[in-house]
Amino acid sequence: MIDLYKIEGTEHPNEGAHLNDPTFYPNFKIELFNFKSQLIKQFLNNDGKTYIHFGDGDYHFLKKNSCGSACPGKRALSKSYDTFDITPFTNGWLKSDYHCVECLEIGLPEKLNELYPNLKTIPTEYLYGLTCNKWFFKTFKGKIGLIGAKEKLDLIKELMTHEKYQEYLGLEKFNDYITIPQKYACDDLDNTINIVKKQLENADPETKVYLFGVGHVKSGLIHHLPKIKNAIYLDIGAGIDGIAGILDPLRPYAKAWTNYRLTDYNYSKLDLLQYNQYKDRNIVYL
């Protein structure tokens, strides 16, 4: 990978000849600088904004294709697509303030354009990279909350009781742990919105940035959240897995991330949809 596509403090798995082509995404570094500057400005202005990511699984879910994480019964949905109204999700995804897609992943921008033509986007790689190099933690320290599956956030709470892990992340705490059901959160969207709403209404008033990874329900959920609690909501996707110590090292910019593990924790209750444990060489046990 050429320097143009590198993000300081991270390592990429380096797959694809296009990552050595400076013409593939020539403004990558400039737009990364602008993205960071924009976030800092919005944070200082106390703006309420949402950044949502489009991935391959989202494509299949919004197209009602039974594939991978979008398969009914797998994670997001238990119902058949024949009986499921996808409209609040297809419309909801578009209602977020900013739309992100993996611009260095060949084919994904085209899939997004198929569903939402000519949409202005931000590289999701920035969300991944700034999680893995801990820029979010450093920049918004003391103002960060998490939104994710209860089982993963419970694990993160346990990890954060260890000083060694606090030192690795560079922060002493996350202000809030806003949970959603680990499975089938899309089945009853209104119920999931209400679950999150009740928690946000009682959240720490100091929390100004929420990092979230909630699966496909995000499309119908996230645009509602700034109306409930004014904050910046960033879709870090698998970055939540990283904070929980179960990040697949083959994810973009994840190769140098260290997965911290608890020796006496029951990991079997976690839904590990994509984690190649046999490729993971960066594990520290607490």
Side-chain angles (χ1 to χ4, degrees):
M1 173 186 277
I2 58 176
D3 287 342
L4 174 63
Y5 304 127
K6 292 181 179 178
I7 295 178
E8 184 180 4
T10 70
E11 189 176 345
H12 194 282
N14 297 337
E15 294 181 3
H18 63 289
L19 296 177
N20 292 308
D21 179 2
T23 67
F24 186 78
Y25 202 109
N27 293 327
F28 189 81
K29 275 278 170 51
I30 295 172
E31 291 180 19
L32 173 58
F33 176 84
N34 292 339
F35 174 70
K36 292 162 73 174
S37 299
Q38 175 175 287
L39 280 182
I40 292 172
K41 182 179 179 180
Q42 290 172 341
F43 174 79
L44 294 175
N45 288 342
N46 198 31
D47 290 340
K49 299 293 182 183
T50 56
Y51 291 76
I52 194 168
H53 155 60
F54 179 88
D56 195 60
D58 299 306
Y59 172 79
H60 292 298
F61 175 70
L62 296 172
K63 290 273 290 184
K64 301 172 70 172
N65 294 334
S66 294
C67 181
S69 62
C71 284
K74 189 76 172 182
R75 175 182 279 183
L77 184 68
S78 68
K79 303 177 180 179
S80 165
Y81 281 121
D82 293 336
T83 62
F84 181 67
D85 183 11
I86 198 72
T87 307
F89 299 88
T90 52
N91 291 345
W93 196 90
L94 203 55
K95 291 179 182 179
S96 280
D97 297 297
Y98 299 96
H99 304 97
C100 308
V101 66
E102 291 177 48
C103 293
L104 300 184
E105 182 70 23
I106 293 176
L108 264 183
E110 291 77 13
K111 287 180 178 178
L112 175 61
N113 192 62
E114 176 189 331
L115 290 176
Y116 303 106
N118 304 316
L119 198 62
K120 183 179 180 181
T121 61
I122 295 168
T124 298
E125 286 85 355
Y126 301 163
L127 296 166
Y128 294 158
L130 298 179
T131 301
C132 286
N133 70 6
K134 304 162 206 166
W135 184 87
F136 289 138
F137 308 143
K138 177 181 178 181
T139 305
F140 306 120
K141 185 176 181 177
K143 305 290 184 180
I144 304 172
L146 302 178
I147 306 177
K150 183 180 186 301
E151 288 77 359
K152 287 180 183 176
L153 297 198
D154 285 346
L155 171 56
I156 294 170
K157 284 183 187 179
E158 291 293 324
L159 286 166
M160 290 300 293
T161 65
H162 293 262
E163 185 176 349
K164 187 173 182 179
Y165 194 56
Q166 294 176 16
E167 291 173 356
Y168 178 69
L169 295 187
L171 75 172
E172 291 75 38
K173 66 172 185 175
F174 291 106
N175 296 28
D176 297 314
Y177 294 86
I178 309 298
T179 65
I180 68 160
Q182 180 171 233
K183 284 197 170 186
Y184 312 141
C186 294
D187 279 7
D188 188 339
L189 178 59
D190 288 340
N191 181 58
T192 301
I193 292 170
N194 286 330
I195 289 172
V196 174
K197 180 180 179 181
K198 289 177 182 177
Q199 295 174 79
L200 284 178
E201 288 175 340
N202 294 290
D204 188 336
E206 290 299 311
T207 309
K208 304 299 180 185
V209 175
Y210 285 95
L211 308 178
F212 70 88
V214 298
H216 302 315
V217 75
K218 65 187 177 184
S219 302
L221 170 68
I222 296 304
H223 66 94
H224 293 283
L225 302 191
K227 303 167 192 173
I228 302 168
K229 186 178 191 301
N230 194 64
I232 299 168
Y233 296 84
L234 296 169
D235 185 1
I236 65 169
I240 290 290
D241 291 352
I243 302 171
I246 50 173
L247 179 61
D248 192 319
L250 298 183
R251 292 275 192 174
Y253 298 96
K255 194 174 180 182
W257 178 265
T258 299
N259 281 317
Y260 276 74
R261 300 285 175 75
L262 299 170
T263 56
D264 57 351
Y265 197 84
N266 180 13
Y267 282 84
S268 66
K269 55 188 173 183
L270 297 175
D271 181 19
L272 304 178
L273 188 66
Q274 182 178 346
Y275 172 56
N276 191 339
Q277 59 182 325
Y278 303 106
K279 295 287 187 179
D280 194 351
R281 299 292 181 267
N282 298 329
I283 301 176
V284 172
Y285 289 94
L286 297 172

